[in-house]
Amino acid sequence: MVGSRAKSGVEAVAISAAALLATLVLFGAFVALRGINPFDVYRVLYLGAFGSWFAIQHTLTQAAPLMLTALCTAVPARAGLLVIGGEGALVVGGVATVLVGVTLMGVPAPVAIALMCMTGTLAGGLWIGAAGALRHYRGVHETISTLLLNYIAIAVMNHLVTGPIRDFSQVLKPASWSVGERFMIGDLPGTSIHWGLAFGVVTCLLVYVLMRRTTFGFAVDILGGNVRAAQMVGLPIGPLVLSTCVIGGAAAGLAGTIEVIAVHGFASASLAVGYGYAGILVAFLARHNPMAIILIATLLGGISASGGLLQRRFDLPDAATLVLRGILFLAVLASSTLYGRLKIFQSRAV
Amino acid sequence: MLTDSKLTRRQILLGSGNIIAAGSLMALFPALEASAAAKPITVGFIYVGPRNDYGWNQAHAVGAKKIARLEGVKLIEQENVPETVEVEKVMEGMIRQDGAKVVFPTSFGYWPHILKLARNYPDVLFVHIGALWKEGDPKNTIGYRGYMEEPHYLCGVAAGHMTKTGKVGFIGSKPLYFIFNNLNGFILGARSVNPNITCQVVITGDWNNPVREAEVTNSLIDQGVDVMVANVDSAKVVIENSERRGIYSCGYHTDLSELAPKGFLTGAEWNWAAGAAFVKAWQTGGQYPNLLRGGFRQDMVAISPFGKVVPEDVRAKVLKIRQGFMDDTFKLYKGPLRDNEGNVILKDGQVIANDDNKFKLGVNFLVEGAIGKTGLKK
């Protein structure tokens, strides 16, 4: 006997697979218009994303920051909010990490790294938390405020790295002081994937447990489902809104810390390269499920990783990867209308 | 380290027209030509933005196309690669998935990522465009860069002949030494024609800020400027606005003459195809310099084809000075020279060699005739 829970799992997998298949067919038609054999393209997509140990490492490196920035949209989304401020929270987290990191000269590395992670998390949490507070206490729409906060975060960072905290020995581009080689966490042992992947996976799992296995998560789901109902049963709306925003922002802030202590060593315009915006896409494709975020981030990481190989092998412009991502996004959104409509997945009422 | 001097003679003989065909660049390392029979080699180019940006990236893509014409060279390209861990993965991907043996990561900020990878791949040559290589850096890395002040001087000469108002305009992106050098070259060129010419200078602070660039262009034109130059990522907006307002303009980075069929004079171009010599050397196991800076004499810069408004006699004058740069008989910085605040920079009779890197890296002043400030604290 198949339980309804297992059935709905099968339904999700089947519908997602159908969306993926539709994407490949549409993208195949797109490249065929340019005179390229779609099956060659599929092969290269696979090769570039998962075809070798190197490709897999590339994919996972791409996926790592997306897991964290996706949570910035996914967690508040469970409470019915549409937060798109991952980019800003990442930048703020990165800058805060540097500001604290450079003061930790004599501190043992593990302690300093822990402090920097907490700093980034806190900074990102407060940043999106502020948008949550504006929403709850002043009625400011969180989508608009988080979008604008992105611009503010990037402007503040640019101001800081071209002026007050600029390291003039960095001739390559305006960049902040470095936190120092000693505090860099580098790659996972035996790989060329930085530690951000571990942080991403663990954070997603923790958030999954929080959202699915605690009364807090249950309360958030009720709030997201119906605000009136949540009020009726006496749930504390304000604290729930604020805490989902803080958790989401904290995850993106941590992504900023990782960019600093695992990749760059300093803050610069290279923090704002679109991980926050790609995270929104991941969150929606994963239907705001933290566990699914791990998979979807890996899938999108794979598309980015193989996008380069597509450019190189077929002389396609970079925009082709964007087309692929766009088609995937639309296909998944369109496919979500199928849930509950396909007879074979319905539990038969007795 | 190989110095620039031995690279020159043949090139001067071969050099005619604005751009020397990449093939002739093989002559840079003459002893190797014999063994240069086509051992196939894959060369990867990485761009930080789109390849057709009418600017920095396009200049590199033009160079890449020329390098691809070398015998046995297969070109692979990837655009829009940010200066993050991603560029490391892209370089590694080119090496491991496509078998590239030479990579040209063409953005300034890629350099630390190159240094991180280069030691792991000793059989791959990494060519960077910043001339940042120093003793102790891996031997399989190269830094090279052209003296863009030389073609800017020639643009200035053309501008000096063409301007009617005696006012020219310069938009700079960042307050950096090479932007000041280009600006000084442009002004010195213009004032060599008419010492009363002045140049309005605006530094926007951004590599890429088309809205501000357009505003500045319009306001300078309103003030009577009738030749514009812009040292920004892509001078497209400035040139198109100048054309629309019926004034002259000069290009930057790459050939932009198509943007202004009426008012285009000429432009300062990189000749990144000079990198062909490195590919050739790597292909044949030959010698190569780790650090290379050069101007016309080393064939690392060029000027764009003249616009049709530029009369024959002006063209001849410009080309004559270019020949002077090639023969090293013409010097850009020479005394007496004052900055625009009246301080003496060079006394009468003092001459700066065209390849005096130390002087050029330290340029933090605007020469007499510039109306504007560096924005640097002194």
Side-chain angles (χ1 to χ4, degrees), chain A residues 47-48 54-55 57-58 61-62 171-174 192 194 263-264 270 273 275 308-309 311-313 315-318, chain B residues 51 76-80 82-86 89-90 92-94 96-98 108-109 111-113 116 128 132 174:
Chain A
L47 277 181
F54 168 75
Q57 294 186 80
H58 187 181
T61 305
Q62 284 277 353
V171 294
L172 294 162
K173 55 187 166 193
S192 65
H194 64 69
V263 180
H264 298 291
S270 296
V273 290
Y275 293 139
L309 203 59
Q311 283 192 51
R312 272 133 53 194
R313 292 285 164 87
D315 205 21
L316 280 168
D318 179 48
Chain B
R51 269 177 279 179
I76 50 172
E77 297 172 280
Q78 188 167 341
E79 59 184 4
N80 284 338
E83 295 170 353
T84 63
V85 66
E86 176 63 3
K89 296 292 176 200
V90 171
E92 278 195 285
M94 285 181 163
R96 298 169 74 139
Q97 294 169 330
D98 302 299
F108 219 51
W111 182 239
H113 303 284
K116 238 162 108 182
H128 186 242
L132 298 162
K174 300 269 183 188

Side-chain angles (χ1 to χ4, degrees), chain A residues 229-246:
Chain A
Q231 276 172 329
M232 292 273 283
V233 296
L235 288 174
I237 310 293
L240 285 175
V241 165
L242 281 182
S243 40
T244 53
C245 286
V246 169

Side-chain angles (χ1 to χ4, degrees), chain A residues 4-32:
Chain A
S4 72
R5 201 185 171 86
K7 267 210 166 172
S8 79
V10 174
E11 181 185 27
V13 169
I15 290 179
S16 304
L20 197 60
L21 193 68
T23 305
L24 287 177
V25 170
L26 286 170
F27 187 66
F30 170 75
V31 293

Side-chain angles (χ1 to χ4, degrees), chain A residues 74-92:
Chain A
V75 179
R78 300 201 75 93
L81 305 175
L82 177 54
V83 166
I84 56 174
E87 189 87 354
L90 184 151
V91 166
V92 167

Side-chain angles (χ1 to χ4, degrees), chain B residues 172-177 179-181 183-184 201-205 339-341 362-367 370-378:
Chain B
S173 48
K174 300 269 183 188
L176 293 169
Y177 72 91
I179 304 280
F180 298 145
N181 272 317
L183 168 59
N184 290 340
V201 181
V202 177
I203 307 279
T204 64
D339 70 13
N340 66 347
E341 292 164 4
V363 167
N364 59 357
F365 57 86
L366 307 183
V367 293
I371 303 172
K373 289 199 170 83
T374 60
L376 298 176
K377 287 189 203 107
K378 286 188 189 165

Side-chain angles (χ1 to χ4, degrees), chain B residues 199-252:
Chain B
C199 180
Q200 303 262 14
V201 181
V202 177
I203 307 279
T204 64
D206 288 311
W207 290 115
N208 185 5
N209 189 344
V211 175
R212 179 122 209 263
E213 290 153 19
E215 284 169 5
V216 171
T217 308
N218 279 325
S219 102
L220 291 184
I221 295 171
D222 292 340
Q223 293 168 44
V225 163
D226 68 351
V227 185
M228 281 299 305
V229 177
N231 272 205
V232 292
D233 260 0
S234 168
K236 183 168 186 275
V237 167
V238 173
I239 292 178
E240 284 176 340
N241 264 293
S242 303
E243 179 81 352
R244 208 169 295 134
R245 298 281 305 264
I247 68 156
Y248 299 124
S249 56
C250 296
Y252 182 48

